[in-house]
Amino acid sequence: EDQVTQSPEALRLQEGESSSLNCSYTVSGLRGLFWYRQDPGKGPEFLFTLYSAGEEKEKERLKATLTKKESFLHITAPKPEDSATYLCAVQALGGTSYGKLTFGQGTILTVHP
Amino acid sequence: DVKVTQSSRYLVKRTGEKVFLECVQDMDHENMFWYRQDPGLGLRLIYFSYDVKMKEKGDIPEGYSVSREKKERFSLILESASTNQTSMYLCASSFAGLMGYNEQFFGPGTRLTVL
């Protein structure tokens, strides 16, 4: 069974204090790993897709990296508007569930001014 | 930009009522999904559809059914609402692509309360 574990559950940072969120996954074969941002009361907003170990993607203050067992979301010099829940999801190769994503529980990020 | 819309942001229903949640996407995506999101349980897949009139059960299909009569529209039906179906319901869509998958884009969600 595919599993995704995110850590920490919650992270509080001061504005400008860089840090990383972790997503560990267990999957028979990885088709893709996805990062989303979710604001309270809203639907998840797509951030990145990573397909293979060693791949990196960047968007503003966010950088996502991927290894064979985990992914990191690095946040450089965060601002209060980066406060949100960050979700990680994986899609496995094969199987009968077409396009199914398995989500982690998320990391709640709070950035204080 | 991909746009996924859901028929209601907030909905209050009574136990035993039949409930319809509708989702529309405007990007000609083949795949559409219904999730529910609950504190401590994360996002769980209820049903998905990879083509018109085609559907597959997700992880928690009990108590739900779906309908996809047109490519852009995917409906979630609660035949007889129960209090344990109080939740945030999220619709998503994705382009099938050459690999048969792609990132999913989500709607704003419907907060359903069953009394």
Side-chain angles (χ1 to χ4, degrees), chain A residues 59-76:
Chain A
K59 180 179 180 179
E60 296 181 354
R61 295 176 292 281
L62 301 177
K63 179 180 176 180
T65 62
L66 180 66
T67 72
K68 287 186 178 180
K69 296 214 181 280
E70 58 191 354
S71 175
F72 291 94
L73 185 65
H74 307 279
I75 303 175
T76 302

Side-chain angles (χ1 to χ4, degrees), chain B residues 4-32:
Chain B
V4 180
T5 57
Q6 295 184 227
S7 50
S8 305
R9 290 302 308 276
Y10 300 94
L11 209 52
V12 180
K13 296 292 182 180
R14 296 212 173 268
T15 301
E17 280 193 80
K18 191 169 186 176
V19 181
F20 293 87
L21 302 181
E22 292 203 322
C23 175
V24 177
Q25 51 94 4
D26 67 355
M27 284 302 292
D28 203 34
H29 284 171
E30 291 83 359
N31 304 324
M32 295 188 75

